[in-house]
Amino acid sequence: MTVIKLTNSKTRKKEVFEPIDPNNVRMYVCGPTVYDRAHIGNARPVIVFDVLYRLLRHVYGPEHVTYVRNFTDVDDKINKKAKDTGRSIKEITDETMQWYLDDMRAVGALDPDKMPRATEFIGAMITMIEGLVESGHAYVAEGHVLFSVESYKDYGKLSGRSIDDMIAGARVEIAPYKRNPMDFVLWKPSSDDQPGWDSPWGRGRPGWHIECSAMSYELLGETFDIHGGGNDLMFPHHENEIAQSCCAHPQGGFARYWLHNEMLQVEGKKMSKSLGNFFTVRDLLDGHDGQQPVPGEVIRFVFLSTHYTKPMDWTAEKAAAAESRLDTYIKLMANSADLERAKSLKPLPAIVDALADDLNTHAALQGLNELANHAQWDELAANLVFLGFYTFEDLIERFNNLNEAVASLESWKLKFEREREQAKATKDFSRVDQLRNDLLGVGVEVKIGKEGVQLKPLPSFDADLLKG
């Protein structure tokens, strides 16, 4: 069996992954708070852990892997949006969850096996909080229930910080009812205009951290294999999850392997609205600020070009290079790959080995190049599907589109050349410009050089629109 090695944030070492039960491999990844579109930084952990999910399914079998990613649908940001827009919380969260799923599917991510909403597990959260209060790890103060960090001796081990360091470096809520500035909220009171549930401490709602502990326990048990997320969650979210989970279930070990992806920049700078370089996944997919749309497989390719433990820089240059590479693959395979045979092929061992070595996606992409260089078209198709760039249905559609394009573009090339010659004579290039724009609108790029006119089908080419 393939040996998987992963960098465990808990030990800061690359370790051999040994599941608790090879027939029941379990992974939990923190999901989004659903009040707005996911920005491109939010997509990085989704793509990283989708690759790991695919690897685990390949090694252990799809029926032996359970991947859980939650939706946080109770949060003050959601409450504020509801108040600002006059819309219901359910309407906002339902809409935003669907946006998220659509956008993540567009970048090739498989749906996790379970996608729980926090509001479905309020009862489990209350039960866990009750246990923490009874065992002395939490206390009630002014309608709040707070976790006492001093009651858990290993607090700070994941992030490698002392409590004093964390107080100095963190944004902690200063409240008179806290015994320690680092104590965090498990339950808080709700006003009449806020969502709330009945509890032993009055009507209220959960704090952020307790939801992941309760959901992972209910769905994966008191000890499971992998917990993942962005490294911005390591402290305080994951640190707090460990503390409350290990105190609530002292016989368990919570997560055995912790994986954290690094953050994302845009054109060498931190992404922020003030710098004008903040955009969502949907902005890229649809095109934003006059830019051409970026296909989901291109976004995925750029992300996988950088190792998950390294900061990633999104640039237009990288996106263009990725689009060109994938476009080339499609053209090379279109008249050569036998997709029925490709469906029966296993992933290339070199690509599986690259992923098994701490998700070395850069090496996996090099493996695709090797297949193309050796004209192994069926194998290339199979591995593009394995890595999540396409489904076989996608490839069939793209091959058909490309073949139709090649067949139909010759007549459009002649038409463009005639229009261009007439324009030279009349000095009126308006019809030429219009034809160029029309072709670009259906995904055909017009290039004019020493060789004459060339019409190049882009990945967005739509043969049906061209016929129209």
Side-chain angles (χ1 to χ4, degrees), residues 227-362:
H227 195 313
N231 70 354
D232 58 325
L233 297 180
M234 186 181 295
F235 176 80
H237 186 51
H238 290 165
E239 201 74 75
N240 293 351
E241 277 189 71
I242 292 172
Q244 61 202 10
S245 294
C246 289
C247 291
H249 308 291
Q251 303 307 312
F254 198 41
R256 297 178 67 230
Y257 298 85
W258 286 83
L259 270 69
H260 292 92
N261 63 274
E262 258 287 356
M263 294 295 98
L264 175 144
Q265 297 179 323
V266 175
E267 303 288 350
K269 297 178 180 178
K270 182 178 179 180
M271 186 170 62
S272 72
K273 292 181 179 179
S274 62
L275 292 176
N277 65 351
F278 180 98
F279 42 86
T280 67
V281 175
R282 182 52 52 180
D283 288 335
L284 286 180
L285 293 170
D286 291 346
H288 65 102
D289 300 325
Q291 301 295 313
Q292 285 296 310
V294 180
E297 65 270 18
V298 172
I299 298 172
R300 188 178 183 91
F301 197 100
V302 174
F303 278 35
L304 297 187
S305 299
T306 301
H307 193 263
Y308 77 95
T309 61
K310 304 294 183 185
M312 199 207 95
D313 190 19
W314 173 273
T315 69
E317 183 180 2
K318 288 180 181 178
E323 187 162 12
S324 176
R325 174 93 66 92
L326 290 167
D327 187 39
T328 298
Y329 288 159
I330 294 293
K331 289 177 180 176
L332 291 171
M333 291 187 297
N335 293 308
S336 306
D338 180 347
L339 292 185
E340 286 305 312
R341 177 175 177 269
K343 290 177 183 178
S344 68
L345 297 176
K346 293 182 178 180
L348 185 71
I351 288 179
V352 173
D353 290 345
L355 298 185
D357 183 15
D358 199 24
L359 303 184
N360 188 345
T361 50
H362 179 73

Side-chain angles (χ1 to χ4, degrees), residues 403-414:
N403 290 333
E404 286 187 38
V406 172
S408 64
L409 285 182
E410 189 59 33
S411 62
W412 283 97
K413 176 183 174 182
L414 295 174

